[in-house]
Amino acid sequence: MHPTPALDRGLAAVGLSLNVIGLLVLPFWLALDAPLATARLVVGLAAVLPALVLGVVASAALLARRRWGRIVAIVALSIALATALGYGIVWLVLVPQLRPISAVALPLLWLLQLLLLIYWSLPRKR
């Protein structure tokens, strides 16, 4: 499978929407009084915020048809995947009341991020 311009633009539009929504929701997520509040604050500011900002920049660049947008998308997805793996496993182990939901949602999130990372890493057909 080779990337196509139509699919690139569609994924970039969805990515821009989701990253902007993520940036708007992030302050509320950080302010929640839930388990692992300190870890959530640290991970949110150190990893989630940069991944979301890079996601917005990458998506905007891809919509503007800038070739460097693919590289920024790969970096943003790599940060997001690394964060989701580490934080997700800690959340799964330390928060037993949400374990059933986390056990289903986290692998789906990891798979989606991995597939998107592979897609943006594929060479473009000239």
Side-chain angles (χ1 to χ4, degrees), residues 26-53:
L26 185 63
F28 299 106
W29 180 68
L30 293 176
L32 281 177
D33 187 28
L36 304 175
T38 305
R40 188 177 53 254
L41 179 67
V42 170
V43 170
L45 293 177
V48 175
L49 181 61
L52 289 172
V53 170

Side-chain angles (χ1 to χ4, degrees), residues 92-116:
L92 193 60
V93 170
L94 296 180
V95 184
Q97 58 269 40
L98 294 176
R99 197 167 288 150
I101 295 169
S102 299
V104 173
L106 287 172
L108 293 175
L109 175 65
W110 298 335
L111 180 64
L112 176 65
Q113 289 173 331
L114 184 61
L115 290 175
L116 285 169

Side-chain angles (χ1 to χ4, degrees), residues 19-94:
N19 283 301
V20 168
I21 290 169
L23 282 172
L24 295 174
V25 170
L26 185 63
F28 299 106
W29 180 68
L30 293 176
L32 281 177
D33 187 28
L36 304 175
T38 305
R40 188 177 53 254
L41 179 67
V42 170
V43 170
L45 293 177
V48 175
L49 181 61
L52 289 172
V53 170
L54 281 172
V56 168
V57 171
S59 298
L62 288 165
L63 287 172
R65 297 178 189 237
R66 303 286 183 233
R67 290 172 54 182
W68 54 266
R70 295 176 70 83
I71 303 301
V72 179
I74 291 169
V75 172
L77 284 164
S78 298
I79 293 171
L81 181 58
T83 304
L85 279 169
Y87 186 68
I89 290 169
V90 168
W91 186 267
L92 193 60
V93 170
L94 296 180

